[in-house]
């Protein structure tokens, strides 16, 4: 059978890099051999291997070992559709949306509200008000869940992963999961980046040996995967809602899917905290790619982390005006005061689309002159194809924002 990469369709990942190898729990010495257990399901004497691969069988994969076969489905039923309604804009312009007060609703999955979309990415905001009702699995997209507020546990068939504020929680496609928040007076608040292409790391951060270079803004120690297996060996009907594109399907499994005694490989959920991003600074302004955190087909994710500002005596310490040629630039403002913008607040989005300039707001160049550092934290998503606002985003749009540079 040819590899998908050989047949000339789908995205290419020539330079894409994935997380490092991890091994968790109990795995046999050699892959695809009997992983023995007594008596085992139906006295067959083995754990059941499942290969979780990407890009067909061509790219990163993990091999997991279940107590029972992962294929024991009792019922399959449609569970509706989740269309993302994009709005055609009659004019090319900048946008500013304040999303900090969108109503809390639903659970960490059903409460997601789409904001921006194109063929390569969907950006969602989520302020859940209820515990996750059913297990969830995104069959066709990786998810990067940026935790603006809240801490808790991501439970998956790879094990349990704690998360905390300002974590990026990266969940590879086909990971069955639930998200539980710890009790807190601060309601949980999420930015969800859904990527039909594989999420990985910028290849320029990785040396020929597969290790993050010394000059990269993070290293292996900053990434956290599951450390122990999770074995729920229960013969009980368990529903999983599976999303592939807009379509939702409810599977009723005969046993709990979190019955994995061990796994190894390069595909697993992991966390990276934005405060572990090591900013790169200079005597003069450094360009946006130095903030890059993740790489995916059609877009990049960048972290604007607290950092020292430029030290040249004549340095202009806020970004120069720029026209984003072949790029639509979304900023999600997380924490602190954003030096180059006026009027934005925590949970604001700005979208500065392709082909028209944007830059520091009036007064911000002078205001930054004596500053030596910035405490801003923001997440940027730059797409290479135009983004569309959704119907929900348009209700939050400030139509006067394009004129906000006048005075
Ligand atoms: Fe910009």
């Amino acid at each position: 059978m040819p590899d998908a990469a050989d047949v000339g369709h789908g995205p290419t990942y020539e330079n894409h890099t994935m997380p490092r190898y991890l091994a968790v729990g109990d795995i046999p010495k050699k892959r695809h051999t009997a992983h023995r257990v007594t008596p085992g399901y139906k006295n067959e004497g083995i754990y059941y291997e499942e290969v979780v691969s990407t890009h067909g069988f061509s790219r990163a994969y993990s091999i997991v070992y279940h107590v029972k076969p992962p294929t024991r489905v009792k019922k399959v039923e449609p569970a509706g559709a989740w269309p993302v309604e994009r709005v055609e804009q009659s004019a090319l312009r900048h946008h500013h949306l304040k999303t900090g007060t969108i109503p809390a609703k639903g659970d960490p999955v059903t409460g997601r509200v789409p904001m921006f979309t194109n063929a390569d990415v969907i950006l969602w905001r989520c302020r859940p008000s209820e515990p996750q009702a059913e297990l969830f699995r995104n069959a066709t997209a990786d998810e990067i869940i940026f935790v603006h507020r809240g801490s808790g546990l991501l439970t998956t068939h790879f094990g349990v992963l704690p998360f905390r504020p300002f974590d990026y929680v990266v969940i590879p496609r086909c990971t069955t999961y639930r998200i539980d928040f710890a009790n807190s007076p601060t309601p949980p608040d999420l930015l969800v980046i859904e990527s039909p292409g594989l999420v990985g790391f910028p290849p320029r951060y990785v040396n020929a040996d597969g290790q993050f270079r010394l000059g990269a803004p993070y290293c292996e120690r900053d990434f956290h995967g599951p450390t122990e297996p999770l074995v729920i060996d229960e013969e009980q009907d368990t529903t999983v809602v599976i999303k592939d594109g807009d379509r939702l399907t409810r599977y009723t499994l005969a046993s709990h899917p979190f019955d994995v005694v061990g796994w190894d490989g390069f595909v697993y959920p992991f966390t990276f905290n934005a405060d572990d991003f090591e900013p790169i600074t200079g005597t003069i302004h450094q360009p946006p790619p130095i903030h890059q955190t993740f790489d995916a087909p059609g877009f990049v994710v960048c972290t604007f982390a607290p950092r020292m500002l430029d030290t040249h005596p004549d340095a202009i310490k806020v970004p120069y005006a720029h026209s984003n040629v072949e790029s639509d630039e979304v900023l999600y403002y997380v924490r602190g005061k954003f030096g180059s913008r006026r009027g934005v607040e925590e949970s604001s989005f700005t979208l500065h689309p392709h082909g028209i300039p944007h830059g520091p707001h009036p007064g911000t160049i002078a205001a930054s002159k004596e500053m030596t550092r910035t405490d801003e934290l923001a997440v940027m998503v730059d797409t290479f194809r135009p983004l569309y606002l959704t119907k929900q985003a348009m209700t939050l749009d400030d139509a006067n924002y394009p004129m906000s540079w006048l005075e």
Side-chain angles (χ1 to χ4, degrees), residues 82-86 114-117 122 124 243 246 390 392:
W82 201 351
V84 174
E85 298 174 71
R86 67 189 205 186
M115 292 282 145
F116 303 96
T117 184
I122 307 172
W124 310 76
K243 178 178 191 290
D246 291 352
T390 62
Q392 293 91 336

Side-chain angles (χ1 to χ4, degrees), residues 161-299:
L161 195 56
F163 62 82
R164 60 192 170 100
F166 317 123
D167 269 349
Y168 294 97
V169 183
V170 179
I171 307 177
R173 67 204 57 216
C174 296
T175 301
T176 303
Y177 70 82
R178 62 173 292 126
I179 295 173
D180 293 294
F181 288 96
N183 282 332
S184 164
T186 307
D189 201 331
L190 308 172
L191 167 68
V192 180
I193 303 167
E194 183 178 353
S195 171
L198 296 175
V199 169
F201 305 112
R204 67 182 183 281
Y205 291 169
V206 180
N207 64 27
D209 305 295
Q211 186 177 19
F212 288 123
R213 292 176 186 272
L214 286 167
Y218 43 60
C219 78
E220 283 75 6
R221 296 183 201 182
D222 300 320
F223 293 85
H224 310 283
T227 56
E228 294 176 7
L230 171 65
V231 185
I232 302 176
D233 182 10
E234 289 177 0
E235 187 73 5
Q236 61 176 41
D237 288 5
T238 307
T239 61
V240 181
V241 174
I242 300 178
K243 178 178 191 290
D244 67 321
D246 291 352
R247 179 172 58 183
L248 300 175
T249 309
R250 179 171 290 104
Y251 270 64
T252 303
L253 308 178
S255 56
H256 202 288
F258 298 167
D259 68 340
V260 172
V261 297
W263 59 269
D264 75 334
F266 285 57
V267 175
Y268 52 86
F270 63 86
T271 61
F272 169 71
N273 194 274
D275 283 327
D276 285 331
F277 189 88
E278 185 63 32
I280 295 165
T281 58
T283 64
I284 56 172
H285 184 70
Q286 299 297 298
I290 56 118
H291 304 285
Q292 191 179 352
T293 309
F294 298 109
D295 196 59
F299 73 96

Side-chain angles (χ1 to χ4, degrees), residues 322 324 329 358:
H322 49 282
N324 299 8
E329 180 185 306
H358 68 283

Side-chain angles (χ1 to χ4, degrees), residues 40-86:
Y41 174 67
K42 288 190 180 292
N43 293 316
E44 289 190 316
I46 57 166
Y47 293 118
Y48 295 86
E49 187 181 67
E50 178 190 7
V51 175
V52 180
S53 62
T54 55
H55 206 55
F57 295 90
S58 307
R59 295 297 309 252
Y61 63 90
S62 287
I63 301 177
V64 305
Y65 293 87
H66 294 270
V67 173
K68 294 171 182 163
T71 44
R72 298 173 61 241
V73 176
K74 290 179 86 169
K75 194 175 1 172
V76 179
E77 52 194 333
W82 201 351
V84 174
E85 298 174 71
R86 67 189 205 186

Side-chain angles (χ1 to χ4, degrees), residues 288 304 319-324 329 331 341 352 358-359 380 382:
F304 286 80
Y320 34 75
H322 49 282
S323 286
N324 299 8
E329 180 185 306
L331 265 170
R341 288 272 99 73
H352 300 128
H358 68 283
M380 184 167 80
D382 273 9

